[in-house]
Amino acid sequence: MRVSTLGFQTDASNQMQSLEAEITQTQTELSTGIALQNAADNPAAMAQVTQLNAQISASKQYQTNGSALNSNLQIEEQSLSDATTTMQSARDLAVEANNAALTPSQRQDISTQLQQLLQQMVSTANSTDSNGNFLFSGETNTTQPFSQTGSSVAYNGSTSVSQVQISSNQRISSGDSGANVFMNIPGGNGTFTTAVGAANTGTATIDTGTVTNASQWVPDTYTITFTDATDYTVTNSAGPVTSGTYTSPGTITFNGISTTVTGTPAAGDTFTVAPAGTSSAFSTISNLITALNNPNLSSAQLTSQVGTTLEQMDAAVSNFSNVSASVGARINAITASGTTATASQTAMTGQVTSLQDVDYAAATTQLSTQELALQAAQESYASIAKMSLFSYLQ
Amino acid sequence: MADLLSTSVSGLIAFQNALSVTSNNVANVSTPGYSVETPDFTAEPGESTGVGYFGTGVQISNVTRSYSELLATQMRTSQSSYSNFNTYATTAAQVDNMLSDTTTGLSAQLQGFSNSLQTLANSPTLAASGTAVLSAAQSLTQSVQGYATQLSSIDQNVEGQITSNVQEINTLASNIATVNGQIAQISGSGQSPNSLLDQRDQLINQLSQYVSVNTATQSDGTLDVFVGNGQSLVTGGTAQTLTTIPNQYNPTQFDVGLTTVGTSGAPVDITGAISGGSLGGLIAVRSQVIDPTLNSLGQISVGIANIVNQQQAAGLTQSGTQGQPLFAVGGVQVSPSSNNTGTAQVTATRTNLSALTGDSYTLADNGGTWQLTDNTSQQTILMGGTGTAIDPFTAAGVSIVVNGTANSGDSYLVEPTATAAAGFSVLLTSPTQIASAAAVQTGAASANTGTGTIAAATVTDPTNANLLTPTSIVFTSPTQYQINGTAYTYTPGAAISSANGWTTSISGTPAAGDTFTVGSNAGNVGDNSNLFAMIDGLNANSLNGGTTSLTGATSSLLSQVGAQTQQAQSNASAQQAVNTSATDAVNNLSGVNLDEEAANMVKYQQAYQACAQMIQASTTMFNTLITALQTA
């Protein structure tokens, strides 16, 4: 086979150039550490890498969101704890007040202390977060939620609360509305209250009752009337509801609720079951203050007021505790999603590395192979190019 | 007369000529396109004598050039293919390189903008977070505009290359024609004008780099040259001229035209007939990579702008006013053809984000009826409407209005997203202009006794003038409610739509007398629900008929360009190997081998010396004869 001189030289030169180009490419990979320089190197891998990077970035953002919210939730938990302490101090004072032998100045004393506790409660309810925004004002968080005029406290905030995204599929409430925490505290068992008729002559008492089937409950005031010691009827605003016989202790059930009467009722005794109203933590305290400041209040009325107040204070503490539990649950959710996020970021970063980074061992080996090939090409060209018949002819 | 002297002299002359052929070969060892020449020795006719035929020597009848048309054609074909793919790959690689940044590329910018919205949602009243949103938006738009600018300059580069390629082709064509003429003159004599043939072949080889080439040999020795899909370029001694003509819709883009010699009319557009070579590669990369990339970038920009701007209008800023558009984006580009004779004006706007594609369209008047064709698939697209301002044509996510009168044959290029990216910018300047809160809030009256709850309102028409007007939903019974005096039946969970441009729903069991209110959300500065709506909108599958999200589109643009570049690069590489082996085959047949020439040189030298010796012998014989006669 015939070989042209020019062809041989051109081919050798081209081969050396292509080897040099390959060496340059390998060198670039080694010095940048990235094997995937352009999408053309591996389009599918490049698309995956950009998506993974976006997901990692989003995950970090969610962690940032979560930790910002976390510090606010910690402050809220502290505030709820403070409110609980304040309310419990007020409760102690209320128990103290339930003493017929107190002198007016002693009552005044208790009233003054209660006044201070009320102010403390308002101040706690108006606390702010790390950005200076109000914790309990809902979405209108630049507006102070609670304002006190005399002994009444009004809520000026919003009932809706904004959300924070802590993971790709979780948005949680950023706080709690002051209305839910301090204002609309449900009385009784949350659905209805029970009361002993004021004119009762028998010795029976009624418990707070429970809801057995919430969908059957019809909000209304029900009167349980004992026609004699063993028979009763239940009526509401629309007429008779049910009736039955009674032995002590006896459970009376109707419209999805049940309540237990214990003791011996007299004929004509009544017990009322009414929809639970709401009370505010502030009015609970201020009502007692008003009563204590009333010089004409009889001891029986004071006892009745204290009874109501204690019930409401317990309900308030229970409400604070519920809210606190939900705050705790949210803090846990943030911690959990933060841990998951860290783990998944690590996994995704690992994937990115495996897709785009250079395998140094393989690349270094490849470089020395290519260098060897270039060296061989150069040496062989140098020795072959010298050979020519002309140099042997004289 | 057949005698020693003249026979030997003929040999001397022949071998001297042969040596000059050899020396010519040696001198041209590095000349590109040179075909090695071989002297053809032919014995001189013999003379008849009484004792037999005696030969009269040798002559060189012709100098033959080693050449194979087949091998040359194979080399040109692979050269054209390689050139085609290589040019395509080089330009596509520029686009690929531009998009392939994993840390600051489009995908990262989009995520950065979404992240900034999240940070603002954590505390909507924080001015620093609002400023961060605007600067993330700036970064995003500058990045996109940067791509559009780069694509434009890559395109200008391509146009420049097209122009210079066409000029090169013209130069080569006219040179081939000149050489054809010279060859035709000499061919009549029976000798082959080797150097002219080499020159012509070399010119055609060079031409094959620019465009694919076919040749046809004529009886007078001239070669007719055809380029592309059979377009005639050189016929005998006449060459056609190619020109670059401005595209009928876009004067900055060049098409290839042919001016036939002897005619004075406008050049004929032969762009469709050009294939192969670097010119074919440039034309292909423009329509397959550069234009679609610009369109896709535009589609993504339109998506971002539409989603964010619509959500801005559906929300309230910190000062309680409905949000203004955050992004500006380029509009639909409608370009009339330069060949149009009518007076129609065509304008178009985008109306449906999900129906937008990355294609361009041609709107043409076909004998009085307007027809819309997709330029990529060449399919006719059905249009709704009649083209008037009150009833525009609707198709492919745009609506088109035609004013004035067109003549049959008039056409317009409609590009829904091509200029969107270049016009992508941020309009808002202050963080207080970001509409973080929902526009409409819902609430239940605190005196309600039932268990009904009202859901958050969704804005369905941000442009409704009564959007923020307060509305009360009053329950007259647990199963009936009234809005502004009109009674409706209550179904828990069912949608309640208002003529004011919002919807909501009520669930649970309301009691008679319960009231629910829907009204302006102004003052609720801590509300971030509109920001989440914006974030959700950006993450949703908003493009291509609800199948692709913005990040999906970004990702697939990147991998599409990557795949096209990769394919072109691997095709180029394969063709290069084919071309190398075809070139080797040509060189091995037609190239000069110095060792061979050295051996020939020795051969002819020895033969020359031998002939000289014969002459010496003849001289000796003559002298002997003369001496013998003198002494007698």
Side-chain angles (χ1 to χ4, degrees):
Chain A
M1 185 183 101
R2 201 173 158 275
V3 174
S4 83
T5 309
L6 178 63
F8 161 72
Q9 285 168 342
T10 313
D11 278 352
S13 161
N14 287 344
Q15 281 155 9
M16 283 189 283
Q17 280 191 5
S18 82
L19 283 171
E20 280 170 26
E22 283 178 29
I23 288 176
T24 310
Q25 172 74 11
T26 309
Q27 194 212 11
T28 309
E29 287 180 12
L30 282 171
S31 55
T32 58
I34 308 284
L36 192 61
Q37 299 274 344
N38 290 319
D41 298 339
N42 187 343
M46 183 61 102
Q48 251 190 303
V49 165
T50 45
Q51 273 180 336
L52 285 168
N53 281 346
Q55 283 174 323
I56 292 170
S57 171
S59 177
K60 287 187 181 158
Q61 179 65 40
Y62 298 138
Q63 278 183 312
T64 308
N65 293 353
S67 65
L69 179 58
N70 196 40
S71 43
N72 284 352
L73 288 176
Q74 305 273 12
I75 299 175
E76 187 184 334
E77 244 188 353
Q78 184 57 50
S79 298
L80 289 169
S81 166
D82 291 345
T84 305
T85 311
T86 306
M87 190 56 89
Q88 281 171 338
S89 305
R91 192 185 195 281
D92 291 342
L93 286 172
V95 168
E96 210 182 289
N98 191 17
N99 183 350
L102 285 177
T103 66
S105 74
Q106 283 171 323
R107 283 189 191 176
Q108 191 63 47
D109 209 21
I110 294 171
S111 162
T112 310
Q113 289 180 64
L114 282 173
Q115 186 72 38
Q116 275 181 334
L117 287 174
L118 176 64
Q119 277 177 328
Q120 211 172 304
M121 184 71 80
V122 171
S123 163
T124 303
N126 279 336
S127 32
T128 54
D129 67 15
S130 46
N131 287 331
N133 294 328
F134 292 102
L135 275 176
F136 293 110
S137 196
E139 280 180 349
T140 52
N141 57 3
T142 49
T143 311
Q144 183 174 305
F146 294 100
S147 54
Q148 181 177 16
T149 37
S151 59
S152 74
V153 176
Y155 179 63
N156 311 313
S158 132
T159 50
S160 49
V161 166
S162 62
Q163 306 226 292
V164 168
Q165 186 156 3
I166 59 166
S167 81
S168 64
N169 54 4
Q170 263 181 304
R171 286 186 186 155
I172 60 176
S173 299
S174 64
D176 295 278
S177 153
N180 291 343
V181 179
F182 294 100
M183 297 301 285
N184 303 330
I185 300 172
N189 60 14
T191 306
F192 61 89
T193 53
T194 57
V196 175
N200 282 9
T201 51
T203 58
T205 56
I206 187 167
D207 75 353
T208 46
T210 52
V211 176
T212 51
N213 190 336
S215 58
Q216 290 177 346
W217 168 243
V218 177
D220 200 354
T221 306
Y222 297 81
T223 314
I224 304 169
T225 314
F226 281 82
T227 49
D228 56 49
T230 53
D231 300 292
Y232 65 86
T233 60
V234 180
T235 54
N236 67 359
S237 58
V241 176
T242 186
S243 57
T245 52
Y246 166 77
T247 51
S248 171
T251 308
I252 301 172
T253 56
F254 55 91
N255 285 5
I257 62 132
S258 78
T259 175
T260 308
V261 174
T262 318
T264 315
D269 274 0
T270 58
F271 299 86
T272 45
V273 172
T278 58
S279 58
S280 90
F282 309 106
S283 64
T284 301
I285 300 175
S286 63
N287 285 346
L288 183 58
I289 294 171
T290 310
L292 285 171
N293 289 345
N294 181 359
N296 301 324
L297 197 70
S298 73
S299 54
Q301 283 172 316
L302 179 60
T303 305
S304 173
Q305 176 65 55
V306 168
T308 311
T309 299
L310 287 176
E311 204 179 79
Q312 286 176 341
M313 283 182 173
D314 287 343
V317 167
S318 165
N319 197 39
F320 295 158
S321 160
N322 286 346
V323 175
S324 188
S326 107
V327 169
R330 273 175 270 161
I331 292 175
N332 287 345
I334 292 172
T335 312
S337 72
T339 312
T340 311
T342 308
S344 77
Q345 279 169 31
T346 308
M348 288 192 281
T349 309
Q351 264 184 292
V352 168
T353 306
S354 74
L355 284 171
Q356 86 176 7
D357 283 7
V358 163
D359 176 351
Y360 276 99
T364 316
T365 312
Q366 188 183 35
L367 180 65
S368 43
T369 312
Q370 286 167 340
E371 280 176 339
L372 188 63
L374 179 61
Q375 204 180 1
Q378 287 169 337
E379 279 182 15
S380 58
Y381 176 73
S383 68
I384 297 171
K386 281 189 299 210
M387 298 192 299
S388 171
L389 186 52
F390 277 107
S391 55
Y392 294 105
L393 295 174
Q394 298 305 325
Chain B
M1 178 183 92
D3 70 305
L4 185 55
L5 191 59
S6 63
T7 308
S8 299
V9 167
S10 80
L12 277 180
I13 296 170
F15 294 120
Q16 201 175 32
N17 286 339
L19 277 170
S20 85
V21 168
T22 304
S23 78
N24 188 36
N25 282 343
V26 168
N28 282 305
V29 65
S30 302
T31 308
Y34 176 81
S35 307
V36 69
E37 292 167 356
T38 322
D40 292 343
F41 291 99
T42 322
E44 294 271 15
E47 281 183 355
S48 172
T49 67
V51 292
Y53 264 95
F54 282 92
T56 50
V58 69
Q59 64 167 357
I60 290 184
S61 56
N62 202 4
V63 178
T64 317
R65 148 188 186 259
S66 293
Y67 177 77
S68 162
E69 185 63 38
L70 173 67
L71 291 179
T73 307
Q74 283 178 341
M75 182 179 76
R76 284 176 199 144
T77 311
S78 60
Q79 172 70 61
S80 289
S81 284
Y82 167 65
S83 215
N84 187 356
F85 290 125
N86 195 34
T87 310
Y88 188 109
T90 312
T91 310
Q94 288 178 20
V95 178
D96 179 45
N97 202 22
M98 174 185 88
L99 292 174
S100 288
D101 190 335
T102 52
T103 47
T104 59
L106 184 55
S107 171
Q109 296 285 351
L110 201 50
Q111 186 60 43
F113 178 63
S114 186
N115 285 353
S116 73
L117 290 174
Q118 286 279 357
T119 307
L120 183 60
N122 289 344
S123 184
T125 52
L126 206 53
S129 300
T131 309
V133 168
L134 291 182
S135 76
Q138 285 275 12
S139 184
L140 174 62
T141 56
Q142 278 167 354
S143 186
V144 170
Q145 278 186 327
Y147 291 147
T149 310
Q150 263 187 291
L151 282 171
S152 162
S153 81
I154 291 173
D155 185 60
Q156 277 180 335
N157 197 333
V158 166
E159 305 303 332
Q161 283 183 57
I162 289 176
T163 310
S164 66
N165 277 356
V166 164
Q167 280 169 351
E168 283 295 328
I169 292 173
N170 284 340
T171 311
L172 289 167
S174 95
N175 287 347
I176 292 170
T178 312
V179 174
N180 262 347
Q182 291 169 338
I183 289 172
Q185 276 180 335
I186 299 173
S187 280
S189 68
Q191 303 285 324
S192 80
N194 290 337
S195 61
L196 287 175
L197 290 171
D198 281 345
Q199 196 183 356
R200 187 176 63 187
D201 284 330
Q202 187 59 10
L203 288 170
I204 296 175
N205 288 348
Q206 286 175 333
L207 185 62
S208 75
Q209 278 179 21
Y210 298 107
V211 67
S212 64
V213 169
N214 282 310
T215 57
T217 318
Q218 302 303 311
S219 51
D220 59 354
T222 59
L223 209 61
D224 287 349
V225 178
F226 306 90
V227 293
N229 298 349
Q231 178 64 45
S232 167
L233 185 66
V234 177
T235 321
T238 329
Q240 313 290 342
T241 314
L242 297 183
T243 57
T244 48
I245 47 179
N247 181 281
Q248 59 176 324
Y249 303 110
N250 180 2
T252 60
Q253 255 192 5
F254 291 131
D255 289 343
V256 180
L258 182 76
T259 316
T260 313
V261 168
T263 66
S264 57
V268 174
D269 185 347
I270 58 158
T271 313
I274 299 291
S275 66
S278 58
L279 188 58
L282 289 167
I283 292 170
V285 79
R286 187 174 62 186
S287 65
Q288 290 173 13
V289 177
I290 298 176
D291 290 346
T293 302
L294 196 54
N295 278 351
S296 290
L297 270 179
Q299 192 186 11
I300 294 167
S301 310
V302 169
I304 299 169
N306 275 17
I307 291 166
V308 171
N309 289 351
Q310 270 177 5
Q311 207 56 54
Q312 275 281 107
L316 298 183
T317 65
Q318 296 287 299
S319 47
T321 53
Q322 278 179 273
Q324 296 298 308
L326 202 157
F327 290 110
V329 73
V332 179
Q333 172 102 329
V334 178
S335 317
S337 166
S338 52
N339 301 330
N340 284 355
T341 53
T343 55
Q345 301 262 3
V346 178
T347 52
T349 48
R350 290 180 291 259
T351 50
N352 184 340
L353 175 64
S354 170
L356 285 178
T357 66
D359 295 346
S360 314
Y361 301 87
T362 308
L363 181 71
D365 182 323
N366 249 351
T369 342
W370 287 101
Q371 204 175 24
L372 189 71
T373 317
D374 181 322
N375 289 350
T376 312
S377 64
Q378 296 300 322
Q379 305 272 358
T380 308
I381 308 290
L382 211 57
M383 296 193 290
T386 55
T388 58
I390 43 170
D391 184 27
F393 286 128
T394 53
V398 294
S399 61
I400 305 171
V401 175
V402 181
N403 284 319
T405 348
N407 292 337
S408 179
D410 282 358
S411 65
Y412 297 81
L413 180 66
V414 178
E415 295 172 288
T417 57
T419 54
F424 191 42
S425 64
V426 175
L427 292 171
L428 299 183
T429 49
S430 159
T432 56
Q433 293 169 304
I434 300 171
S436 44
V440 176
Q441 69 169 323
T442 58
S446 48
N448 284 0
T449 52
T451 59
T453 53
I454 187 165
T458 315
V459 173
T460 51
D461 178 12
T463 60
N464 192 309
N466 294 326
L467 184 67
L468 305 178
T469 311
T471 307
S472 294
I473 303 171
V474 184
F475 276 78
T476 50
S477 80
T479 53
Q480 283 250 313
Y481 61 87
Q482 284 199 352
I483 302 179
N484 291 337
T486 315
Y488 301 88
T489 315
Y490 169 61
T491 317
I496 299 172
S497 303
S498 161
N500 292 351
W502 48 260
T503 57
T504 181
S505 68
I506 298 178
S507 334
T509 322
D514 278 1
T515 313
F516 298 89
T517 53
V518 181
S520 168
N521 199 22
N524 228 350
V525 295
D527 179 15
N528 61 9
S529 50
N530 203 41
L531 288 173
F532 279 125
M534 214 177 276
I535 291 166
D536 289 342
L538 288 170
N539 287 339
N541 284 350
S542 49
L543 303 175
N544 296 336
T547 57
T548 320
S549 66
L550 291 171
T551 44
T554 307
S555 185
S556 84
L557 171 63
L558 183 62
S559 58
Q560 168 82 2
V561 172
Q564 283 173 312
T565 308
Q566 186 188 51
Q567 174 125 36
Q569 281 172 343
S570 88
N571 283 345
S573 186
Q575 282 301 318
Q576 190 175 34
V578 173
N579 186 40
T580 305
S581 100
T583 311
D584 281 348
V586 168
N587 281 340
N588 289 346
L589 178 70
S590 312
V592 174
N593 185 311
L594 283 178
D595 291 343
E596 187 185 52
E597 298 308 314
N600 284 345
M601 184 189 81
V602 167
K603 182 171 77 178
Y604 298 144
Q605 242 179 347
Q606 284 179 342
Y608 185 88
Q609 282 169 347
C611 288
Q613 284 298 331
M614 295 301 295
I615 292 174
Q616 178 68 31
S618 150
T619 309
T620 308
M621 283 178 351
F622 182 72
N623 283 342
T624 308
L625 185 60
I626 294 294
T627 310
L629 286 174
Q630 267 183 344
T631 52

